[in-house]
Amino acid sequence: MASDLELCSKSCLCTCETKGQALSYSEVTMGSAWTQSFREELSMGKVKFSLSQPELLLQPQWRISPLAWLLYRLFMLLYTFIWCLYSALLFSSPKWLLFLSHIVYCSMAMYYLLALCNLVWAAIQVRNFYRNAAANQNEGSRVRGGSVGPFPLPPLLSAALRLQWCLHNLVSSFSVTVTLLYWMLVYPIEKHPLSTFNINMHVGNSVQALLDLILSSTPIHLAHYVHLFLAACLYILFLLLYWLSGGTSLSRKPYIYKVLDFGRWPLVAAFSVIGFICIGLPLGHFLVWNVCLLRRSMAARARGASVGLCRERWWCRVGGASHSTPVSLTGIPASLFTTTGSGMTQPLLPSRNVHHGAVSVYL
């Protein structure tokens, strides 16, 4: 009788498409997973950049070799830096940094630089760990189940990873928001020429941000909007002080954007600021969070229970290990890095239950 009920329930979830009377099992699962993830985000504990799985900020989400990942980081840094340098030479004035799109793009260059340095630094730590373990014939370097680690994580590198995570969140959400607001509000009014530079700054920025969001395994939390809100308020405060001090734009006008002309149209400027902080930026951050959630869902389907194994094999290759041993899922540690210092940390991605705890650290 119980088996009949189970078969009946499964058949109800997997209804034939010809009738179209119910959702498929996968759709139900995705819907419930999204709802549960959204509820888990409604926590003040997510506001802090607390590390317990630092490897999430260092390695890719997908099957990308360490060398290819390093070359990707290097290429994106050079590409972004060249465009920032070209922008500075094109405008030949420090006022080019008055525009939010330029500030965000320079922040993106800083993020790529920090991400590359952190990756190289962590790789050196892992290689030194393997070298010392081989020299000392230290079999205790292997944890239960035959897995490797944990690797040392210096406090300075831990702080640099937190800064990288913060920049990643700021750059991702602000890039998407800047692109949407520019083409919806700024471009129809000011009619800037559709040059390669303009397209790269207001389309390529979002493409770069979303590409990095999809390829990397860096988590996005809705609670991190607090940091976006503070950054937006600082920029608006700067614009107000700059206007009150008599500052002008590159074209010697008393405003940076026409919609933010505080002297001539104060109400329009006020509503534009409120709309940017309370509508535009939250929607951009919500879109970025959903892309991150979709990435995790796709990785879970593509790799399933082998995620933990791939994580350890990836770092074995970083360390130059000549062999890799089979690892059971029950032997996978919460993190392959061990941090020093006091203080409680929280997982970057919450574990929904004990069975999925070892897998969720990478999804």
Side-chain angles (χ1 to χ4, degrees), residues 56-94:
L56 289 178
L57 305 176
L58 296 167
Q59 65 190 42
Q61 180 76 77
W62 311 96
R63 296 179 183 272
I64 303 175
S65 67
L67 178 59
W69 187 242
L70 178 66
L71 293 177
Y72 161 77
R73 289 294 192 197
L74 179 61
F75 172 79
M76 297 307 294
L77 171 62
L78 294 177
Y79 178 85
T80 310
F81 177 77
I82 290 174
W83 272 109
C84 289
L85 183 61
Y86 174 77
S87 303
L89 296 176
L90 180 65
F91 290 96
S92 300
S93 171

Side-chain angles (χ1 to χ4, degrees), residues 304-321:
S306 65
V307 171
L309 303 178
C310 296
R311 179 191 65 171
E312 296 200 350
R313 288 171 182 169
W314 197 86
W315 286 103
C316 282
R317 297 177 66 182
V318 171

Side-chain angles (χ1 to χ4, degrees), residues 35-218:
T35 304
Q36 184 176 0
S37 298
F38 181 80
R39 290 175 180 175
E40 291 174 349
E41 292 295 321
L42 304 178
S43 171
M44 290 303 297
K46 296 292 185 69
V47 176
K48 299 180 180 180
F49 294 101
S50 301
L51 294 178
S52 63
Q53 295 97 31
E55 58 267 26
L56 289 178
L57 305 176
L58 296 167
Q59 65 190 42
Q61 180 76 77
W62 311 96
R63 296 179 183 272
I64 303 175
S65 67
L67 178 59
W69 187 242
L70 178 66
L71 293 177
Y72 161 77
R73 289 294 192 197
L74 179 61
F75 172 79
M76 297 307 294
L77 171 62
L78 294 177
Y79 178 85
T80 310
F81 177 77
I82 290 174
W83 272 109
C84 289
L85 183 61
Y86 174 77
S87 303
L89 296 176
L90 180 65
F91 290 96
S92 300
S93 171
K95 289 185 178 181
W96 73 283
L97 281 175
L98 293 174
F99 297 98
L100 182 60
S101 56
H102 297 174
I103 296 176
V104 173
Y105 205 77
C106 290
S107 300
M108 183 179 293
M110 293 174 57
Y111 161 73
Y112 284 130
L113 175 61
L114 189 59
L116 177 63
C117 293
N118 288 342
L119 179 60
V120 173
W121 192 354
I124 292 175
Q125 292 292 325
V126 172
R127 282 186 172 270
N128 289 338
F129 176 85
Y130 276 106
R131 188 179 297 111
N132 295 334
N136 299 329
Q137 296 295 319
N138 186 8
E139 294 299 331
S141 62
R142 296 193 174 274
V143 296
R144 66 185 185 275
S147 57
V148 295
F151 308 115
L153 186 70
L156 188 57
L157 177 55
S158 178
L161 287 173
R162 287 183 173 90
L163 179 58
Q164 174 187 330
W165 193 7
C166 180
L167 284 175
H168 179 272
N169 282 273
L170 292 175
V171 167
S172 299
S173 299
F174 268 103
S175 294
V176 173
T177 305
V178 164
T179 296
L180 295 177
L181 294 182
Y182 177 82
W183 295 107
M184 291 172 56
L185 299 178
V186 178
Y187 180 76
I189 297 176
E190 302 191 8
K191 296 294 183 180
H192 294 151
L194 291 177
S195 61
T196 305
F197 167 79
N198 192 17
I199 294 176
N200 182 77
M201 283 293 172
H202 301 102
V203 177
N205 61 337
S206 293
V207 173
Q208 288 181 243
L210 292 177
L211 177 64
D212 193 84
L213 179 64
I214 293 173
L215 294 181
S216 70
S217 56
T218 304

